[in-house]
Amino acid sequence: MHIVVVGLSHRTAPVEVREQLSIPDSSIEDSLVSLKNSSEILEVSILSTCNRLEIYSLVKDLNIGLSSIKEFLSTYSNLKIDELEPHLFDFKQEDAVLHLMKVSAGLDSLVLGEGQILSQVKKMMRLGQDFHSTGPILNRLLTQSISAGKKVRSETNLGTGAVSISSAAVELAQLKIGQARGVDNLVSLKSENVLVIGAGRMSKLLITHLQSKGCEKLTLLNRNIDRAVSLANNFPDLEIIPESLTMLDKNIKLSTLVFTSTASEKPFIDLIRLNNLNINSLIRFIDIGVPRNITNDVKENNFIESYDVDDLQEVVS
């Protein structure tokens, strides 16, 4: 038996490829069942985040097992194997174990030492157990990787001052606004008309960092207005206007800075939509959703600047 991991990440694939291999929570069970249908795969778990998709498995035959996983990825993404393979990595046995330890510790993250990945590894373990796709070997491995991640954060300074995807997005906004003003330092966001789309964990972190960078007022849109209201209540010292996503067009026109972080599997902001709004002043969009919430063609509008998760490297570096 062999422990293997097959995947891709921000290190090996651009966001255009990663978003085709993003597996939402609603599809995890079906994906695990599909993988377990191979007689070569004895145990399997899936780690899917905005910057990586990794499949950890216990397989009988090494080569056949790896081929089965790659065939699954090809089918899921609708990419041919030869299109997908240049973006994939695979590790076996000790190398696979070491890779998972590095991932849990935050050593392989876009943002070195970020803490969110550890909770995502815990979630991977829980889902594998809930859907009965893992067994004694992967359960032991995942348990050990979580312990290693905790140990790294408690016994080293790796996580001290580490940023997150959300804080990097806010700093990217500060950087771009400062560059437009001809200043090198990170400027206050006090004068920006800020719109945040999405009310999940990433948006909560976004709002936390926006507040710390001078933002005093923002509008928060979500499909479920109750969830937007609930998130707004977490920030009593910040003026947050929660609204339904049906008010998207009106709020885009009123904004100078827009952050998107939703679980939508398809973009909902594109060039046609923005052109129909007859925008006549600059709006900066920062999209940290994977799959992306904003299409790449919006940059063709002269009043739009648009950035995605791959642009965060400028800040992280």
Side-chain angles (χ1 to χ4, degrees):
M1 295 185 293
H2 305 267
I3 295 172
V4 299
V5 56
V6 180
L8 77 175
S9 71
H10 61 283
R11 298 182 187 277
T12 66
V15 66
E16 292 86 354
V17 175
R18 297 201 309 273
E19 64 188 358
Q20 294 184 70
L21 279 160
S22 176
I23 303 180
D25 287 354
S26 59
S27 300
I28 289 287
E29 183 177 11
D30 288 344
S31 297
L32 291 171
V33 169
S34 178
L35 285 159
K36 282 291 292 280
N37 280 339
S38 168
S39 59
E40 291 298 324
I41 297 176
L42 304 173
E43 300 181 28
V44 63
S45 58
I46 295 173
L47 177 63
S48 182
T49 76
C50 61
N51 279 323
R52 70 181 66 246
L53 173 71
E54 299 182 354
I55 297 178
Y56 292 85
S57 300
L58 184 70
V59 300
K60 293 180 184 177
D61 181 275
L62 185 59
N63 292 325
I64 299 175
L66 288 173
S67 294
S68 296
I69 297 169
K70 290 177 182 179
E71 285 171 12
F72 163 79
L73 293 173
S74 174
T75 301
Y76 184 87
S77 64
N78 291 317
L79 292 172
K80 296 178 181 176
I81 291 285
D82 58 353
E83 295 176 294
L84 186 57
E85 199 135 34
H87 302 291
L88 295 178
F89 59 78
D90 61 69
F91 298 112
K92 301 100 176 173
Q93 299 293 72
E94 291 90 345
D95 289 338
V97 172
L98 179 59
H99 176 74
L100 178 57
M101 299 298 168
K102 287 181 176 179
V103 168
S104 293
L107 290 171
D108 195 61
S109 296
L110 172 67
V111 179
L112 186 68
E114 59 98 6
Q116 198 171 0
I117 187 64
L118 188 56
S119 65
Q120 291 162 335
V121 173
K122 291 178 183 177
K123 181 179 177 181
M124 168 173 64
M125 180 176 176
R126 188 188 75 247
L127 291 174
Q129 292 172 342
D130 288 348
F131 299 132
H132 308 291
S133 68
T134 54
I137 304 298
L138 285 191
N139 283 333
R140 176 73 181 273
L141 173 60
L142 292 170
T143 299
Q144 191 63 43
S145 72
I146 292 166
S147 296
K150 290 177 179 177
K151 189 170 184 179
V152 164
R153 287 168 176 81
S154 64
E155 297 186 13
T156 76
N157 291 323
L158 181 69
T160 305
V163 295
S164 64
I165 295 293
S166 297
S167 66
V170 173
E171 287 199 18
L172 180 64
Q174 292 179 280
L175 181 68
K176 295 303 179 183
I177 293 168
Q179 289 173 347
R181 296 177 185 173
V183 296
D184 294 329
N185 57 314
L186 297 178
V187 299
S188 170
L189 298 178
K190 183 176 181 178
S191 62
E192 298 297 313
N193 296 320
V194 180
L195 172 63
V196 175
I197 305 171
R201 176 182 289 186
M202 296 283 271
S203 293
K204 184 177 182 180
L205 291 170
L206 266 174
I207 295 171
T208 299
H209 293 293
L210 284 166
Q211 185 175 23
S212 71
K213 301 302 182 182
C215 176
E216 296 179 347
K217 178 181 177 180
L218 63 85
T219 301
L220 175 64
L221 301 188
N222 196 56
R223 293 188 190 278
N224 185 328
I225 184 66
D226 291 338
R227 192 168 182 184
V229 171
S230 177
L231 178 55
N233 289 337
N234 285 291
F235 298 91
D237 298 326
L238 180 63
E239 185 180 350
I240 299 179
I241 304 169
E243 291 194 359
S244 166
L245 194 57
T246 57
M247 306 299 288
L248 177 61
D249 291 344
K250 180 201 81 170
N251 281 290
I252 287 176
K253 287 205 69 172
L254 295 173
S255 303
T256 59
L257 180 59
V258 179
F259 295 89
T260 67
S261 175
T262 80
S264 174
E265 295 181 28
K266 293 183 179 179
F268 53 85
I269 298 175
D270 57 21
L271 181 62
I272 294 174
R273 181 171 211 149
L274 296 183
N275 284 346
N276 287 339
L277 297 180
N278 297 315
I279 296 167
N280 55 20
S281 60
L282 181 65
I283 305 176
R284 290 182 176 88
F285 288 86
I286 300 180
D287 179 5
I288 56 173
V290 179
R292 288 173 295 178
N293 302 151
I294 303 172
T295 57
N296 210 39
D297 62 2
V298 299
K299 297 175 183 177
E300 296 175 24
N301 186 307
N302 293 331
F303 292 106
I304 300 298
E305 287 184 16
S306 183
Y307 306 95
D308 59 38
V309 287
D310 283 356
D311 295 306
L312 300 182
Q313 189 63 54
E314 184 175 358
V315 170
V316 172
S317 294

